């Protein structure tokens, strides 16, 4: 085989040698819940719709990322199902040449109405936020008692064949940390992957929610449910996984504070207004919307993305400077 016949796949490599192949795409900063660690009660300072990237602009940016070697895209928010026409956008993105994995993060309150259309549009996997199985506690955390809607949404997703379905539980001390074992049993019974997440100090709400080191929690769960570390790679994200002896339950942990994963970070985030955030815990960013609306060419867009990736910081500073990031999580994208 001659060298000229070899196909060299494009790649985004940052200055620390990390390959960036995962884009988390926020389609809205609005949400129908007010989870205590994400948005404060009464918050109304959302981005104006005229500043949102429209679907043509989103498709153009994602296509540029895919040409540069990104293979995984996750639709996020806010609550992405609040963006009108989301399944149409998903269909456009899933059909891009080179796209291998289109997934969605959701609180599932709207999922009953959208599950079928999303599956038909090419969304293959779901991450569902679920912090409690107790209605009163769910309402205290999320601001509304819609646990029944979430559970119905999960059932609808299973009926449509989404797999895997991951439950994301943000574990907060004195709030829901006593419910972890119940969530494990629920996930085992229903066939869900459970992922436990440490609260991150993003915005004032994140800092006020309190931090629980998950390492001790994980040791107890491993012993109680006979879990052993697994080399599973599920979705390209930062979770570490364990499985039980029978292989019918998988537990994941996302531990940005107690055991950060910055050395292997493979992702960037695009907010609803077209801001490319290079690190969840830093302020490094690039505003793409002005470039898109000034008539930038595709080649210039690709070069702008490459230039931004070259500035991706080595790591967050959640421990050293917990008050550094003032934007709320919903503004960045999940």
């Amino acid at each position: 085989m001659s060298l000229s016949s070899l196909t060299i796949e494009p790649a985004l490599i940052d200055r620390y040698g990390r390959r960036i192949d995962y884009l988390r795409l926020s389609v809205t900063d609005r949400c129908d819940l007010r989870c205590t660690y994400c948005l404060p009660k009464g918050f109304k300072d959302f981005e104006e719709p005229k500043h949102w990237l429209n679907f043509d602009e989103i498709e153009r940016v994602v296509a540029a990322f895919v040409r540069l070697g990104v293979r995984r895209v996750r639709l996020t928010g806010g609550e992405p199902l609040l963006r009108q026409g989301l399944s149409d956008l998903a269909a456009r993105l899933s059909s891009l040449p080179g796209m291998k994995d289109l997934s969605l993060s959701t609180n599932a309150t709207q999922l009953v109405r959208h599950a079928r259309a999303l599956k038909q549009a090419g969304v293959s996997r779901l991450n569902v936020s679920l912090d409690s199985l107790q209605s009163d506690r769910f309402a205290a955390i999320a601001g509304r008692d819609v646990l029944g809607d979430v559970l119905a949404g999960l059932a609808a997703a299973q009926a449509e064949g989404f797999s895997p379905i991951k439950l994301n539980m943000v574990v907060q001390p004195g709030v829901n940390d006593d419910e972890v074992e119940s969530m494990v049993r629920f996930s085992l019974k229903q066939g869900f992957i459970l992922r436990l997440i440490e609260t991150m100090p993003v915005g004032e709400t994140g800092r006020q929610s309190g931090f629980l080191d998950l390492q001790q929690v994980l040791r107890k769960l491993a012993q109680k449910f006979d879990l052993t570390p697994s080399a599973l790679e599920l979705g390209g994200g930062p979770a570490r996984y364990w499985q039980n002896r029978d292989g019918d339950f998988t537990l994941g942990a996302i531990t940005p504070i107690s055991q950060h994963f910055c050395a292997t970070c493979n992702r960037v985030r695009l907010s609803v207004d077209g801001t490319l955030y290079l690190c969840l815990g830093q302020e490094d960013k690039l505003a793409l919307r002005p470039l898109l609306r000034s008539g930038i060419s595709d080649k210039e867009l690709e070069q702008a993305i490459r230039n931004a990736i070259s500035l991706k910081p080595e790591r967050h500073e959640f421990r050293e400077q917990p008050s550094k990031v003032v934007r709320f999580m919903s503004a960045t994208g999940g």
Side-chain angles (χ1 to χ4, degrees):
M1 181 182 293
S2 66
L3 289 176
S4 61
S5 66
L6 291 175
T7 299
I8 300 176
E9 185 177 358
L12 288 172
I13 308 294
D14 73 5
R15 54 184 163 163
Y16 302 102
R18 297 171 298 195
R19 177 170 176 160
I20 310 305
D21 61 2
Y22 185 10
L23 174 66
R24 298 178 68 94
L25 169 65
S26 176
V27 296
T28 181
D29 59 346
R30 287 160 169 75
C31 189
D32 54 348
L33 301 181
R34 289 294 182 273
C35 294
T36 53
Y37 49 81
C38 185
L39 277 175
K41 293 180 179 179
F43 179 81
K44 296 181 180 179
D45 191 21
F46 296 107
E47 191 60 67
E48 295 182 32
K50 66 181 180 181
H51 294 154
W52 296 359
L53 294 190
N54 61 43
F55 284 4
D56 289 340
E57 291 168 331
I58 290 173
E59 183 179 8
R60 190 179 178 205
V61 172
V62 174
F65 270 101
V66 172
R67 289 195 300 271
L68 293 171
V70 165
R71 295 294 175 258
R72 305 175 188 271
V73 174
R74 174 171 294 279
L75 302 171
T76 71
E79 171 46 50
L81 295 183
L82 296 183
R83 181 76 184 255
Q84 188 173 359
L86 183 65
S87 59
D88 295 332
L89 175 64
R92 293 168 66 169
L93 300 183
S94 66
S95 64
L96 290 172
M99 176 74 76
K100 292 184 178 179
D101 182 63
L102 183 64
S103 57
L104 172 77
S105 289
T106 176
N107 62 28
T109 60
Q110 313 287 322
L111 193 54
V112 166
R113 295 190 293 114
H114 296 285
R116 177 163 298 178
L118 289 168
K119 191 70 167 62
Q120 293 174 345
V123 176
S124 59
R125 300 182 299 105
L126 298 176
N127 285 10
V128 175
S129 298
L130 183 59
D131 296 325
S132 177
L133 293 169
Q134 301 176 26
S135 293
D136 56 345
R137 182 176 289 180
F138 184 100
I141 296 172
R144 294 174 59 208
D145 181 10
V146 289
L147 177 59
D149 294 335
V150 174
L151 297 179
L154 285 167
Q158 284 184 312
E160 292 299 331
F162 283 99
S163 181
I165 298 174
K166 301 175 186 176
L167 302 185
N168 287 345
M169 180 184 187
V170 177
V171 185
Q172 302 176 71
V175 176
N176 64 348
D177 54 328
D178 62 337
E179 207 174 337
V180 171
E181 289 187 15
S182 298
M183 195 70 76
V184 169
R185 294 189 180 91
F186 172 77
S187 301
L188 176 59
K189 180 179 180 181
Q190 299 296 328
F192 300 130
I193 294 172
L194 175 63
R195 304 198 308 174
L196 307 179
I197 303 175
E198 290 177 345
T199 308
M200 289 173 276
V202 178
E204 191 61 31
T205 50
R207 286 186 285 276
Q208 291 178 350
S209 295
F211 163 70
L212 179 66
D213 187 327
L214 285 179
Q215 301 306 318
Q216 186 175 356
V217 174
L218 293 168
R219 285 192 291 270
K220 290 180 178 178
L221 292 177
Q223 184 175 18
K224 190 175 189 67
F225 294 95
D226 194 19
L227 303 175
T228 55
S230 170
L232 284 174
E233 192 277 321
L234 297 172
R240 293 174 293 124
Y241 289 100
W242 289 259
Q243 284 190 309
N244 63 356
R245 185 181 299 273
D246 295 332
D248 58 358
F249 173 66
T250 300
L251 175 73
I254 299 177
T255 55
I257 312 298
S258 67
Q259 189 175 354
H260 74 75
F261 34 81
C262 299
T264 58
C265 183
N266 64 339
R267 70 206 66 89
V268 291
R269 291 170 168 83
L270 184 68
S271 70
V272 68
D273 70 347
T275 302
L276 182 65
Y277 289 98
L278 303 170
C279 174
L280 187 60
Q282 299 285 5
E283 294 293 351
D284 304 80
K285 59 189 176 184
L286 171 67
L288 289 178
R289 187 184 76 241
L291 301 179
L292 294 168
R293 296 184 181 178
S294 66
I296 191 172
S297 70
D298 285 349
K299 287 296 183 184
E300 290 170 329
L301 176 58
E302 290 176 17
Q303 190 56 53
I305 291 172
R306 287 190 182 278
N307 292 343
I309 296 301
S310 71
L311 300 177
K312 183 174 170 65
E314 183 177 13
R315 60 182 298 269
H316 65 66
E317 296 175 306
F318 284 148
R319 280 195 181 277
E320 298 88 345
Q321 300 186 63
S323 61
K324 185 172 185 176
V325 179
V326 297
R327 65 183 184 272
F328 294 111
M329 182 72 81
S330 65
T332 309

